[in-house]
């Protein structure tokens, strides 16, 4: 079974990031990893992601040191 990587770039999306991650977690396919790349958010996106990351080992969180845009975050 191949591992699927879901890449989620985000910037100041605290209002929808929990719903987005919940959608990934609720899938029936079990062999996945979720890579969340935060493009230097300055709202409480980080707090919401860290709560979910601590519950699920296959959720990884990376913060870019300065805003670079969604395409850079995907790469």
């Amino acid at each position: 079974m191949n591992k699927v990587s879901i890449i989620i770039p985000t910037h100041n999306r605290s209002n929808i990031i929990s719903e987005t991650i919940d959608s990934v977690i609720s899938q029936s396919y079990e062999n996945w990893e979720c890579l969340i790349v935060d493009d230097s958010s300055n709202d409480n996106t980080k707090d919401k992601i860290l709560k979910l990351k601590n519950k699920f080992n296959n959720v990884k969180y990376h913060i870019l040191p300065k805003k670079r845009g969604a395409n850079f975050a995907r790469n």
Side-chain angles (χ1 to χ4, degrees), residues 10-71:
T10 188
H11 176 73
N12 290 343
R13 297 288 184 223
S14 66
N15 59 327
I16 62 169
I17 195 67
S18 295
E19 181 180 342
T20 304
I21 297 169
D22 286 341
S23 175
V24 172
I25 293 168
S26 68
Q27 299 301 308
S28 60
Y29 192 80
E30 295 180 2
N31 193 17
W32 58 269
E33 65 179 347
C34 182
L35 308 170
I36 304 166
V37 183
D38 188 344
D39 195 17
S40 298
S41 292
N42 54 16
D43 62 357
N44 65 340
T45 297
K46 178 180 178 179
D47 298 331
K48 291 189 175 190
I49 293 171
L50 289 177
K51 284 180 186 176
L52 290 168
K53 180 187 170 299
N54 291 333
K55 291 181 187 177
F56 301 96
N57 292 333
N58 42 357
V59 174
K60 311 292 188 233
Y61 181 49
H62 306 279
I63 303 172
L64 298 178
K66 68 177 191 173
K67 186 162 174 24
R68 302 292 295 265
N71 288 335

